[in-house]
Amino acid sequence: MPCYSIEGVIPVVDPTAYVHPTAVLIGDVIVGPGCYIGPTACLRGDFGRIVLEAGANVQDGCVLHGFPEQDTRVEENGHIGHGAILHSCIVRRDALVGMNAVVMDEAEVGAQAIVAACAFVPAGMKIPPRSLVAGVPAKVRRELSEQEVAWKLDGTRTYQDLTRRSLASLVEVAPLTAVETDRPKVQAPHVEPLVALKRQ
């Protein structure tokens, strides 16, 4: 992976974490055990520290950055969806930030909370635990159900499994020129999208 020190500060990646080779880590970045960092994610610790605690995931295209002397932190089992941006904020344990959401300076996403896709969490907002926020700017919509909290944890476990699968078998290859007979499928665990669970 592209990994850079700045002023002698070198990123730290736990050996049980997986960082995709196209992700970029710069400076004061600390990636904890069992974390997953997806393709083209950018974690820029050239101003403030960036910390991912155990089992967190930062998916493809995410950007994590912050102001000088301010940490950007994703606590244990934090789940950062495709294309999200975090800036000088904290995502508490078991919380989810949806795809293309933006969480601004000194905001706090409470434990087990969900930030909806494309939401804009303004600077300084404190999201209560186990709540759903959505909109531009984000507003608290309601408390999460037990089913939604369980669904989020299942999704995070799927990424923790992807960490192990990637460490074990993901390698760069040349593409095939044709689809082979009896083409295998990847062995991802089964997980239902939330919309499917709501139909039940």
Side-chain angles (χ1 to χ4, degrees), residues 9-175:
V9 181
I10 301 171
V12 176
V13 178
D14 187 276
T16 63
Y18 176 78
V19 181
H20 190 274
T22 63
V24 178
L25 308 183
I26 299 171
D28 197 359
V29 175
I30 301 169
V31 179
C35 290
Y36 174 88
I37 299 178
T40 71
C42 179
L43 284 69
R44 273 184 54 208
D46 49 12
F47 289 168
R49 177 172 292 169
I50 296 169
V51 178
L52 302 185
E53 294 184 7
N57 69 77
V58 173
Q59 297 170 21
D60 33 318
C62 291
V63 175
L64 278 65
H65 192 238
F67 281 115
E69 300 177 10
Q70 293 188 340
D71 291 357
T72 301
R73 181 176 295 270
V74 180
E75 290 187 346
E76 187 172 352
N77 295 335
H79 191 107
I80 312 303
H82 315 288
I85 298 173
L86 306 184
H87 201 272
S88 292
C89 61
I90 187 163
V91 177
R92 294 289 182 199
R93 181 183 179 126
D94 290 313
L96 179 150
V97 175
M99 293 180 269
N100 289 314
V102 175
V103 184
M104 290 297 295
D105 311 300
E106 298 183 28
E108 182 177 326
V109 179
Q112 298 183 317
I114 293 179
V115 175
C118 298
F120 178 82
V121 177
M125 182 176 188
K126 305 299 182 205
I127 297 170
R130 295 180 64 105
S131 60
L132 171 69
V133 299
V136 180
K139 291 184 173 45
V140 176
R141 304 299 176 166
R142 60 179 172 77
E143 188 173 328
L144 292 170
S145 68
E146 290 295 330
Q147 181 186 46
E148 289 166 324
V149 171
W151 169 83
K152 182 273 167 197
L153 187 54
D154 282 347
T156 300
R157 286 180 179 142
T158 301
Y159 269 89
Q160 291 165 349
D161 181 68
L162 181 58
T163 296
R164 293 184 289 272
R165 292 168 56 216
S166 297
L167 285 170
S169 69
L170 194 144
V171 294
E172 187 172 358
V173 296

